[in-house]
Amino acid sequence: MSEVLLLWFGQKRPAADLLEGVRRSVEREFDRAVRVGLSPERPEDAFDARRGQHSSTRILAWLKDRHEGAHRVLGVTDADLFIPILTFVFGEAQLSGRAAVVSTARLGDTPLIPGEAARIALRLQKEAVHELGHTFGLLHCADARCAMARSPSLRHVDAKSPVLCRACRARTRELSENGDVHEQEEHANPDRR
């Protein structure tokens, strides 16, 4: 089965268990082996000086171009991300594509506050599953507790689980068996795992 490359390219080194939590979540939710790496390279053209943020769209292109051998690549960074129409994003992905990126920049105040590091790590796991789910063809889920639910704010991130709901899990299996599908109906799903 094709593996996922989980790649850190932040300015600071990640906490020892931060990427391990993401790795375990991705392996569990998508039944894929995950290889963890630290990139010495940085996407040089992604920083927008006017906004003081990094373009997540440019980072996706960098991830895709630099890691052509990976079936899927999930970039993790501490850079603050944006897309032009939003103030910030927690992450972005190519729908049914190969690349996704998530950021820790807006997931918590500071890891030095007691309990905050664990909360940031859990939020990162949720957003990593969410963005990687898009690369497997999943769209947003109407179930607020599903990892594929929209997350425009930390309140929404905290409301959801780091796991896929039953319908999204079934859809992932279906997409995996039938290849990538580019369209999916957003669904209401009262079922929980």
Side-chain angles (χ1 to χ4, degrees):
M1 188 161 287
S2 304
E3 73 175 6
V4 174
L5 172 61
L6 171 60
L7 188 69
W8 172 266
F9 60 94
Q11 293 301 311
K12 301 174 188 170
R13 290 188 70 86
D17 58 347
L18 188 68
L19 297 182
E20 179 58 21
V22 173
R23 185 192 64 77
R24 286 193 308 267
S25 292
V26 168
E27 284 186 345
R28 180 190 65 235
E29 294 309 304
F30 299 103
D31 194 25
R32 306 280 170 143
V34 177
R35 181 168 46 98
V36 178
L38 301 175
S39 174
E41 291 183 76
R42 301 288 180 271
E44 294 177 9
D45 67 339
F47 184 70
D48 185 312
R50 185 178 50 84
R51 293 182 65 129
Q53 295 174 293
H54 290 76
S55 166
S56 56
T57 305
R58 288 185 182 165
I59 290 172
L60 289 180
W62 176 78
L63 288 168
K64 184 175 156 250
D65 291 346
R66 293 291 192 290
H67 306 285
E68 292 179 356
H71 184 254
R72 295 283 194 284
V73 59
L74 172 63
V76 182
T77 183
D78 52 8
D80 192 17
L81 304 178
F82 79 96
I83 60 174
I85 62 169
L86 295 175
T87 305
F88 73 92
V89 292
F90 296 120
E92 185 180 1
Q94 298 172 316
L95 183 63
S96 300
R98 288 191 319 106
V101 61
V102 291
S103 170
T104 60
R106 304 256 181 172
L107 295 180
D109 294 329
T110 171
L112 300 178
I113 297 173
E116 189 69 355
R119 183 174 12 200
I120 292 170
L122 180 59
R123 288 171 173 165
L124 180 62
Q125 291 169 31
K126 295 175 183 182
E127 292 311 297
V129 169
H130 179 99
E131 297 303 341
L132 203 57
H134 286 315
T135 71
F136 285 104
L138 295 176
L139 296 181
H140 288 141
C141 181
D143 181 345
R145 289 180 281 185
C146 176
M148 291 310 297
R150 292 178 193 273
S151 46
S153 71
L154 285 179
R155 180 175 59 84
H156 294 89
V157 175
D158 289 339
K160 64 185 182 179
S161 155
V163 300
L164 301 173
C165 68
R166 186 174 297 167
C168 285
R169 184 173 302 282
R171 184 69 175 146
T172 301
R173 280 194 301 271
E174 180 184 318
L175 290 167
S176 180
E177 292 169 3
N178 299 325
D180 288 342
V181 174
H182 300 289
E183 294 186 16
Q184 177 190 22
E185 298 285 328
E186 188 168 296
H187 59 274
N189 177 23
D191 292 337
R192 309 287 189 274
R193 287 185 354 148

